[in-house]
Amino acid sequence: MTFGPASTAVASRINTQEGSPQFSDTFQASDQIDSASAAEPFGWSGSLRSSCDNGKLSGTRSKVCVIGTDRRTYRKGEAVAARIAWSHVPAGSAIMVYLERDDPRRDLPYLGPVGALSLSPFPASGAGESRFVWNGRQFPCAPTDLPMLCANPAEIGRYRLRAVLYDSTQLSVVGWPDPTPPKVLAQSASRPFLVDGMPDLKPIARSLWWAALNTAMNARQIDASSALAGDMNGSGLMVLQRGHDRLCAQVPGSPPYESSLEACLLKSAAIGEAGLLAIKPEDAQVTGSVGVRAGSLSRDVAVQLAQKAADPPYRRRVAFHRQPQPGEAGYSHQKDGDFYAWSRAHPFATTYLSDSVSETIFRPDLGGSWIIVVNEIMAGGSLDDSERFADKVLVLVRSDRVACVIETKPYRGEQFAADPATNAFSCR
């Protein structure tokens, strides 16, 4: 398939077999591969672009040329080789080779990495020629501030190699930028070449998962992402083709939820002029719904029952069951003046119970019960920490709506020891 001027023309060359979003094995070469070389790259000075006439470097100014790549088309992850030539280069200079997309706009959210292809430039002086080889699978990175090569192949699309001649061998590729960056003496780019093969569909799966989640949350069918299988990266979703031009993924529910959600996007919308594009979740269309399996409790109902069971011993130890407005606690600005001074004089007046939930686990092995941890904390007021409470309460909520307090521990430090499957406990 060809990444040409019209995205629709590119999309028409994608294999449209029902169910399997296979992309064509080979990008087809076109006239644009050569004509695109006239495009001026963003970020590089056109006045420093070397004129390369079939590798012949004439004149007296410093020049660098990418004479040519060894092929016009590469499989994804395959090594790319090119001949780099230079002339009239002062001593102490160096050349860095970059991978860039063959799209002069540079404002589209393309998938896959681009940039420098080595951790440091290679030295050059006078005139010479060298064969440059990039393995096609690694880019410089600094995950721990230490520059290294990370496995990350170029995504399918149309690219160029750009050779840049600097006046120094010291160049920061990743990590902290150079306080005094080296000067660019010359630059030039190769003819465009193509990378083909099967693209990484995980970014598309991630967008489809988020589209399904947002739809279900906005419709108030679920109250947490855990109701859907997979995770925020779309792990486990299978992206399939529906009809001629749609990529879809079914998003199953996580017990006790059942889901008929399917998120789809136009395949042509994922194809830009020079590669695959990131798709926003809001660009996908979602059908279907999420519901709770018959005989089971939803997470939000189980949380309410757990809080109702865990709260009573703590409610009488605070002034309010929720965060109050100052006036509800007896404060008047006109009569009492500064609120903080009033609060210090009435340290208990604005205390309230915070009963947030930190864990919710559905247990099919316990008859479809929920295991929920309720954090019972005294909030508000001006009391010293020694006068406050902070506990965590382990609660089992059965499918018959009966909630059982299993164990209570201090909020910090201690871990629960009781096993809901074997320990005896009383229900409230």
Side-chain angles (χ1 to χ4, degrees), residues 144-164:
T144 59
D145 292 333
L146 178 66
M148 59 185 294
L149 292 175
C150 292
N152 202 359
E155 191 50 273
I156 61 174
R158 193 175 67 232
Y159 296 90
R160 295 171 179 271
L161 293 182
R162 185 167 299 278
V164 181

Side-chain angles (χ1 to χ4, degrees), residues 35-72:
S35 62
S37 62
E40 183 60 50
F42 172 79
W44 302 109
S45 172
S47 64
L48 297 176
R49 183 172 57 189
S50 299
S51 57
C52 303
D53 182 14
N54 295 322
K56 296 179 181 179
L57 304 180
S58 58
T60 58
R61 194 178 70 176
S62 294
K63 290 187 176 182
V64 62
C65 281
V66 183
I67 298 175
T69 55
D70 58 341
R71 298 214 305 275
R72 302 285 292 276

Side-chain angles (χ1 to χ4, degrees), residues 3 11 23 27 74 93 99 101 104 144 156 217 221 273 300 304-305 348 351 367 428:
F3 279 122
F23 291 73
F27 290 94
Y74 299 88
S93 302
L99 180 73
R101 289 188 178 84
T144 59
I156 61 174
M217 293 281 282
Q221 296 173 354
E273 301 295 338
D300 58 334
Q304 294 172 21
L305 293 172
F348 185 77
T351 58
R428 295 172 179 166

Side-chain angles (χ1 to χ4, degrees), residues 1-3 10 13-15 22-30 71-76 78 156-157 193-199:
M1 93 184 173
T2 303
F3 279 122
V10 176
R13 300 194 60 84
I14 298 177
N15 186 329
Q22 297 295 323
F23 291 73
S24 63
D25 291 338
T26 304
F27 290 94
Q28 301 299 314
S30 70
R71 298 214 305 275
R72 302 285 292 276
T73 302
Y74 299 88
R75 294 288 292 171
K76 184 177 178 180
E78 198 171 29
I156 61 174
F193 60 89
L194 301 172
V195 174
D196 68 8
M198 185 64 182

Side-chain angles (χ1 to χ4, degrees), residues 126-363:
E129 182 178 310
S130 177
R131 186 172 186 267
F132 174 84
V133 179
W134 174 53
N135 64 17
R137 302 184 304 276
Q138 293 177 309
F139 282 85
C141 62
T144 59
D145 292 333
L146 178 66
M148 59 185 294
L149 292 175
C150 292
N152 202 359
E155 191 50 273
I156 61 174
R158 193 175 67 232
Y159 296 90
R160 295 171 179 271
L161 293 182
R162 185 167 299 278
V164 181
L165 175 64
Y166 294 96
D167 68 349
S168 172
T169 59
Q170 302 301 312
L171 176 65
S172 177
V173 175
V174 291
W176 294 103
D178 290 311
T180 56
K183 179 182 177 182
V184 176
L185 301 178
Q187 55 86 12
S188 72
S190 70
R191 294 183 308 173
F193 60 89
L194 301 172
V195 174
D196 68 8
M198 185 64 182
D200 180 6
L201 297 178
K202 289 194 290 291
I204 293 176
R206 178 169 56 246
S207 294
L208 294 178
W209 186 89
W210 275 103
L213 173 68
N214 293 340
T215 298
M217 293 281 282
N218 291 337
R220 299 187 180 279
Q221 296 173 354
I222 58 177
D223 70 331
S225 62
S226 58
L228 299 182
D231 56 29
M232 65 180 61
N233 290 318
S235 300
L237 294 193
M238 181 177 294
V239 179
L240 300 173
Q241 188 163 323
R242 294 279 184 266
H244 176 72
D245 190 35
R246 290 196 305 157
L247 294 177
C248 300
Q250 294 179 344
V251 184
S254 181
Y257 292 91
E258 296 177 330
S259 168
S260 61
L261 292 174
E262 183 175 74
C264 298
L265 57 86
L266 291 177
K267 186 192 291 185
S268 56
I271 302 173
E273 301 295 338
L276 298 187
L277 299 173
I279 298 295
K280 297 178 181 178
E282 52 265 33
D283 293 333
Q285 294 184 332
V286 180
T287 59
S289 60
V290 185
V292 182
R293 184 180 304 159
S296 299
L297 296 179
S298 65
R299 177 186 176 278
D300 58 334
V301 170
V303 165
Q304 294 172 21
L305 293 172
Q307 291 170 323
K308 184 177 180 180
D311 287 356
Y314 301 95
R315 287 190 171 181
R316 61 178 178 268
R317 299 168 65 182
V318 293
F320 293 89
H321 298 160
R322 55 168 175 78
Q323 185 173 8
Q325 295 296 319
E328 296 178 272
Y331 167 77
S332 168
H333 177 70
Q334 183 176 6
K335 181 182 68 174
D336 301 310
D338 180 66
F339 172 76
Y340 295 102
W342 176 87
S343 181
R344 287 191 294 270
H346 304 80
F348 185 77
T350 58
T351 58
Y352 65 94
L353 182 62
S354 171
D355 59 353
S356 63
V357 169
S358 59
E359 292 185 53
T360 55
I361 303 173
F362 183 71
R363 293 285 296 269

Side-chain angles (χ1 to χ4, degrees), residues 343-389:
S343 181
R344 287 191 294 270
H346 304 80
F348 185 77
T350 58
T351 58
Y352 65 94
L353 182 62
S354 171
D355 59 353
S356 63
V357 169
S358 59
E359 292 185 53
T360 55
I361 303 173
F362 183 71
R363 293 285 296 269
D365 60 317
L366 296 179
S369 299
W370 285 90
I371 298 294
I372 297 176
V373 176
V374 182
N375 301 315
E376 302 286 1
I377 298 174
M378 176 189 281
S382 299
L383 295 170
D384 185 78
D385 286 348
S386 62
E387 301 179 84
R388 297 177 179 274
F389 61 81

